[in-house]
Amino acid sequence: MVQIFNALVLLASTVVVALPVADITLIDGTQLNGEVTVISDAEVTVTVDGQAQAVAGEQLQSIVFNNNEAAIPEENKITVNLHDGSVLRAKSVLATATNARITIGEDLSHRLKSDSLASVQFKVLSDQAQQDYNRILKADSAGDVLIVLRPSGSIDELEGVIERVDSEAVTFNFDGDQIPVELSKLAGIKLLKPGSLKISKTACRLTDLQGNVWQACKFNLNKEEQSLEFETGLGDPISLKLERVQRLQYASSNVVYLSDLSPESAEWTPYLTGRLIRNRLNQLYAPVKDRSASGGPILIGKQEFTKGLSLRSKTVLTYRLTDGFNSLKLTAGLAAETRGRGHINLIILGDNKQLFQDSIADPSDIRQLELDIKGVRRLSITVDYGKNLDFGDLLHLGDAKLIK
């Protein structure tokens, strides 16, 4: 018996804790794959081929722990916005005057301060109702706002104090009267941001596999628990199992992605002109950000990009640059489905001076561009018709970014 006990002790002492393996991309395009041993706001340590390498936080672009796409559970109809910009998709919400519990699934919930909540949308709305709802969220208010969904589908609002939220109703204090309002009658609630609320600068945006997006900082990799611990920008402590973490996206002050900018102008022109044709196809053929216009991720050759643009001919994008950038870096290639049909001319101008011009006729013809844009204040990108008119033209610009 003593020998068995000693053997078990020896076995327990030699158990090796598996370290998470991740794909790490730096802002200069360098890609690493290895075991992550340390994650902090200041740096990340990754072991590649037995060699530990520390990467400073300002050099990080992304850390991908899981290449599967985030999937919001079908039953998670509630959208919770926090004051730091985090967005959660919840199955249920319980909130009192001081604390809130956001339930993501049967085995997963997060406890937050109630002051962290900015708004809670209880159901999916029609396009018009959603526009009205978003307008209420953006407008100034002197108190909390109860956002009512009328039987007609229209949106109405009433200011007061939200005292409690549970799975059945919202307790609303209006002029001293406590009124329980059933969730079925509500589009959502907007909560007044406390004047004393402090929002810290976060290190990155963390996306988990349930589709929740967290503004995150103060990381700790808990190897024994196989979890990633962090705080929101509001100071709420969160712990996620590593198997639930999809990616960490860093926002370097030295890098700006074109897909995160709103162009000064974006114009698509069909080869066959006519108001009816343009009106019907404008939305369908408009530039698409961070995914392919044909659906799915941006894929150039065998490489998948999480950031980028998907453009059809003829598209002209113009950006007004207010900061001093040194270079424009991107990977350009036709979508795989255009093989044998696609043919475009790619033209990039800086202050009306040509920086790049060439034709691309096959998905295997991939261009890695790094263009000098020092002093440029107006940048334009044109995807023009090629030899096949506009039939089958779909150009991907992967990881298109401006670098200071």
Side-chain angles (χ1 to χ4, degrees):
M1 182 65 71
V2 173
Q3 290 178 331
I4 294 175
F5 176 78
N6 290 338
L8 290 174
V9 171
L10 178 62
L11 179 62
S13 65
T14 57
V15 169
V16 177
V17 177
L19 296 171
V21 175
D23 295 317
I24 299 175
T25 303
L26 310 187
I27 60 173
D28 64 1
T30 300
Q31 295 188 329
L32 307 172
N33 176 269
E35 292 183 335
V36 177
T37 57
V38 174
I39 298 180
S40 70
D41 290 7
E43 67 178 23
V44 170
T45 302
V46 58
T47 300
V48 181
D49 296 329
Q51 297 293 320
Q53 181 175 342
V55 181
E58 59 265 22
Q59 295 300 314
L60 289 166
Q61 179 183 141
S62 64
I63 303 175
V64 179
F65 289 97
N66 195 311
N67 287 310
N68 292 328
E69 289 191 26
I72 300 171
E74 187 176 352
E75 63 271 20
N76 289 24
K77 306 293 187 182
I78 301 174
T79 301
V80 180
N81 289 277
L82 307 187
H83 283 298
D84 68 349
S86 299
V87 181
L88 313 181
R89 301 303 296 268
K91 184 177 181 180
S92 66
V93 174
L94 175 63
T96 64
T98 54
N99 298 303
R101 185 177 71 225
I102 312 300
T103 299
I104 308 299
E106 296 297 333
D107 61 342
L108 180 62
S109 62
H110 301 290
R111 294 184 180 275
L112 311 172
K113 300 184 295 293
S114 291
D115 283 349
S116 297
L117 305 185
S119 66
V120 181
Q121 181 174 331
F122 296 116
K123 53 176 67 73
V124 177
L125 302 174
S126 68
D127 291 344
Q128 183 58 55
Q130 188 67 58
Q131 291 178 23
D132 294 339
Y133 180 91
N134 293 341
R135 174 184 53 78
I136 293 171
L137 294 189
K138 293 177 182 179
D140 292 334
S141 58
D144 299 332
V145 180
L146 193 71
I147 307 175
V148 180
L149 182 63
R150 299 295 184 186
S152 63
S154 63
I155 294 290
D156 204 353
E157 59 184 296
L158 190 64
E159 283 196 17
V161 177
I162 304 295
E163 294 190 344
R164 179 182 171 86
V165 179
D166 58 37
S167 60
E168 301 294 332
V170 169
T171 302
F172 184 61
N173 190 317
F174 183 68
D175 287 343
D177 294 328
Q178 290 184 325
I179 307 169
V181 184
E182 296 177 4
L183 296 190
S184 61
K185 298 178 180 179
L186 296 176
I189 56 174
K190 174 186 174 183
L191 297 150
L192 184 66
K193 179 181 175 182
S196 60
L197 187 66
K198 294 182 179 180
I199 304 178
S200 301
K201 182 180 179 181
T202 53
C204 68
R205 184 177 69 247
L206 183 153
T207 303
D208 65 34
L209 288 171
Q210 283 72 42
N212 302 302
V213 180
W214 302 89
Q215 299 297 333
C217 60
K218 298 183 181 179
F219 288 98
N220 176 54
L221 180 61
N222 189 325
K223 300 172 187 176
E224 288 72 24
E225 296 293 330
Q226 287 287 284
S227 63
L228 185 60
E229 301 165 350
F230 60 93
E231 288 187 8
T232 67
L234 303 155
D236 293 300
I238 304 295
S239 179
L240 284 176
K241 290 292 185 182
L242 287 167
E243 63 187 19
R244 298 183 187 271
V245 178
Q246 185 198 40
R247 65 184 298 114
L248 278 62
Q249 188 72 43
Y250 288 79
S252 171
S253 59
N254 296 320
V255 175
V256 176
Y257 291 94
L258 292 185
S259 61
D260 290 334
L261 295 177
S262 296
E264 183 181 53
S265 64
E267 183 178 359
W268 172 76
T269 305
Y271 187 80
L272 299 175
T273 59
R275 181 179 298 178
L276 181 61
I277 292 177
R278 175 175 289 197
N279 289 343
R280 287 182 175 179
L281 298 180
N282 251 338
Q283 188 171 0
L284 179 63
Y285 281 7
V288 177
K289 298 179 178 182
D290 299 335
R291 62 179 179 84
S292 174
S294 62
I298 292 176
L299 193 64
I300 301 176
K302 295 183 178 179
Q303 186 174 358
E304 183 177 313
F305 296 85
T306 58
K307 302 292 292 180
L309 298 169
S310 185
L311 308 172
R312 297 185 184 274
S313 62
K314 176 181 179 180
T315 295
V316 181
L317 297 177
T318 303
Y319 297 90
R320 183 176 291 277
L321 307 183
T322 56
D323 293 317
F325 294 98
N326 291 323
S327 62
L328 167 66
K329 192 171 183 179
L330 58 85
T331 300
L334 288 171
E337 61 267 27
T338 67
R339 188 178 304 279
R341 297 178 293 120
H343 191 287
I344 62 95
N345 291 317
L346 176 60
I347 305 166
I348 302 177
L349 304 178
D351 294 333
N352 292 322
K353 294 181 180 179
Q354 185 171 291
L355 304 176
F356 176 84
Q357 190 278 325
D358 205 354
S359 60
I360 301 177
D362 190 85
S364 63
D365 186 10
I366 299 172
R367 308 301 178 89
Q368 305 278 354
L369 304 182
E370 186 166 5
L371 306 177
D372 187 347
I373 59 169
K374 293 185 184 73
V376 170
R377 286 294 175 262
R378 180 167 291 179
L379 177 73
S380 73
I381 299 174
T382 300
V383 179
D384 207 348
Y385 314 119
K387 294 180 179 179
N388 297 334
L389 309 183
D390 62 352
F391 299 108
D393 289 348
L394 180 57
L395 182 71
H396 288 165
L397 301 181
D399 221 17
K401 58 194 173 187
L402 305 167
I403 303 175
K404 292 183 180 180

